[in-house]
Each structure stands twice: as C-alpha cells, then as structure tokens.
C-alpha cells in the first residue's frame, strides 16, 4: 500500500507541475519566450485567494475566481510592458527581463504581505479511505488530479477546434505569415499570456491548499520544476507538458520515499539531463528542421 500511496501523492504533485507547465509551454510554443516570472504569478494567485478567504471572508469559489482574474490581468500587463517591446530582441535580453520581472513580483509581495509565513487553509478538506482504511487519499489530491486532466483536455480542444486556438497555432508556426492572413499577432500573444497566468492562479491555489504554507518565494521552486517538466515532456506540446509534469511528480515522490528527501530535487534534475541526452526534444517533442 505504501507504493500506491506514494504513487498517488506523486501524481497529485505532478498534476500541479503539469498545470504550471501548460502555461509555460503555451507561451513558449506561440511567443517563443521563456516566461520565468510564471512561477511568481503562482505566488500572487495564492496570496489573492488567501486574502479573499481570510480577510474579505469571501466564499472559496469566489476567492479562486478573484485569483484567476488578478493573475490574468498581471499576465497581460507583464506581456505588454516587459515582453512586447522585446519581440525582436535576443533571447538573452528576454531571459534577463524575465528574471527582473520575477524579482519585482517577489519583492512586491514582500512589501505588501511581509516575509511571514501564512497558513493557507485547506479548501478541500477531508480524506477518502480505501481497502478498509489501509490507503488514505486526501480530497485535495483527487481534486488536483481531476482539475489537471480537465484543463489538459480543454486546452487541447481549444487549440485544435476553436478559431482563436487555430490563430494561436498559426502564430506559433510563422508570425509574419499569420499577420498577412489577418491575424492580430499581438492580441493572440496577449491572450496566450492571459491563459497561462490564469492556469498559474489555479495551480497556486491547489499548491497552497496541499502544503498549507504561503511565502513570497512560494512559486520559485515549483516554477522551476514545472519548466523542467515542460522541457522533459517536450516544450511547446500540451500533452508533453502534461506527461512531463506527472512523471516529474512521480519521480520526486518515489525519490523522497525510497532514496532521500534531501536528494529528491537533485534526482529530478538528473533524470531530466539523462532524458535530454537521449532525446533532446523531450518525450513528446518534435524535431524542427530549419532551412538555412
């Protein structure tokens, strides 16, 4: 039963990574930018939902909506002010800007909410017992897994079947050609950042509800691991981000249980290195041939 317990815990943790990684992979797939401030948007979502529940005494579902709205607006503002002027800049300039935005969000949270650890309430309390009580699964784990699967399916349908989703795919292939076909590239990229930031807010709520702590650096390590998951699965691929997140969570859970909790992060990144040595494009990534 211990194996099954660790497996479910890993899938639940991996589902959070997958939700965050979906935001990473959408932004990179369409805008070809690595938004390393994405992890800190998770933290903002956690704080907004926390304030809505604890200080404003709003219902849980209203607090989640507030977090999604605020993070969506922040995502659009970040794209418009920080990334849009760098659309033709080098990748190094974009990377430095992303790091700057990340530190800006962290320090803003530090000024507004201080460095004190907030005790985040469990929004999905309770446990489910199976096999005569030998296996206990938390409700928040089940909700996290279900939400992750639902989001992955919805995003896949959105990008494949809707007009806006097809416009996103066109921008991903060739922005100039998409613009000639009448697609508003700037608006499409802004929408991508909005969707990614909304997903970060949902991930922030689920993450804080699972681990019950909230500080200004809450989103840093999950953000890095989610980016790792996106690369692991094949960045730019929605199913790849989902698969990478789940596998990363399972590897981390088993590493903590059977090897060492202190070495778990090192093992996760070591597995990524091995996978990229064998398959540089990731598990579900496609090799792109560029004409010279």
């Amino acid at each position: 039963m211990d194996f099954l317990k660790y497996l479910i815990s890993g899938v639940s943790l991996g589902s959070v990574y997958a939700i965050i990684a979906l935001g990473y992979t959408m932004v990179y797939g369409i805008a070809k930018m690595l938004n390393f401030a994405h992890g800190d948007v998770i933290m903002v979502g956690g704080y907004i939902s926390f304030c809505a529940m604890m200080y404003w005494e709003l219902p849980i579902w209203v607090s989640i909506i507030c977090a999604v709205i605020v993070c969506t607006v922040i995502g659009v503002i970040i794209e418009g002010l920080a990334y849009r002027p760098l659309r033709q800049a080098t990748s190094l300039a974009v990377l430095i800007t992303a790091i700057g935005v990340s530190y800006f969000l962290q320090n803003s949270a530090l000024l507004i909410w201080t460095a004190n650890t907030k005790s985040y309430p469990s929004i999905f309390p309770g446990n489910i017992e199976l096999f005569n009580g030998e296996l206990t699964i938390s409700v928040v784990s089940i909700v996290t897994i279900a939400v992750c699967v639902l989001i992955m399916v919805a995003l896949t349908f959105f990008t494949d079947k809707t007009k806006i989703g097809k416009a996103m795919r066109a921008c991903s292939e060739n922005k100039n050609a998409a613009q000639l076909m009448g697609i508003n590239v700037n608006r499409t990229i802004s929408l991508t950042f909005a969707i990614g930031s909304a997903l970060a807010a949902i991930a922030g709520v689920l993450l804080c509800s699972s681990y019950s702590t909230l500080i200004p650096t809450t989103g840093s390590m999950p953000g890095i691991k989610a980016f790792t998951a996106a690369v692991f699965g094949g960045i730019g691929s929605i199913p790849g981000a989902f698969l990478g997140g789940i596998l990363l969570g399972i590897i981390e859970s088993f590493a903590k249980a059977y090897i060492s909790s202190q070495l778990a992060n090192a093992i996760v990144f070591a597995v990524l290195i091995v996978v990229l040595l064998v398959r540089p494009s990731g598990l579900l990534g496609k090799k792109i041939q560029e004409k010279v």
Side-chain angles (χ1 to χ4, degrees), residues 69-282:
I69 292 173
V70 171
C71 288
T72 299
V73 172
I74 288 175
V76 173
I77 291 174
I78 289 173
E79 190 278 328
L81 295 181
Y83 296 137
R84 187 175 297 179
L86 301 176
R87 200 65 57 77
Q88 304 299 325
T90 62
S91 57
L92 180 61
V94 177
L95 176 62
I96 293 172
T97 301
I99 295 172
V101 173
S102 174
Y103 279 113
F104 174 80
L105 291 176
Q106 283 186 25
N107 284 276
S108 297
L110 191 64
L111 289 172
I112 297 171
W113 291 292
T114 73
N116 296 330
T117 301
K118 302 288 190 298
S119 181
Y120 197 94
S122 178
I123 59 176
F124 302 107
N127 298 300
I128 296 175
E129 294 185 353
L130 301 174
F131 305 108
N132 296 321
E134 294 184 14
L135 178 63
T136 301
I137 306 173
S138 63
V139 174
V140 68
S141 295
I142 297 174
V143 171
T144 301
I145 296 169
V147 169
C148 178
V149 173
L150 182 64
I151 288 174
M152 197 275 292
V153 172
L155 277 180
T156 302
F157 176 84
F158 175 76
T159 54
D160 289 346
K161 302 298 182 181
T162 66
K163 184 176 179 180
I164 299 175
K166 291 176 181 178
M168 288 180 174
R169 289 164 56 197
C171 291
S172 174
E173 291 292 332
N174 191 312
K175 294 183 183 64
N176 292 329
Q179 195 164 14
L180 290 173
M181 295 300 293
I183 295 173
N184 190 323
V185 174
N186 287 332
R187 187 172 62 186
T188 303
I189 293 176
S190 293
L191 179 61
T192 305
F193 270 82
I195 294 173
S197 299
L199 295 180
I202 296 172
V205 171
L206 294 173
L207 180 68
C208 293
S209 182
S210 297
Y211 296 97
S212 303
T213 56
L214 181 60
I215 55 177
T217 56
T218 290
S220 297
M221 184 54 70
I224 293 173
K225 289 181 179 178
F227 172 70
T228 302
V231 175
F232 189 16
I235 193 162
S237 167
I238 291 177
F242 174 79
L243 178 62
I246 298 297
L247 290 178
L248 206 71
I250 293 173
I251 292 169
E252 182 176 340
S253 179
F254 283 150
K256 287 180 179 178
Y258 295 113
I259 302 176
S260 169
S261 59
Q262 295 178 338
L263 294 176
N265 290 340
I267 293 169
V268 166
F269 293 118
V271 170
L272 171 69
I273 293 171
V274 172
V275 170
L276 292 182
L277 287 174
V278 176
R279 188 174 175 82
S281 58

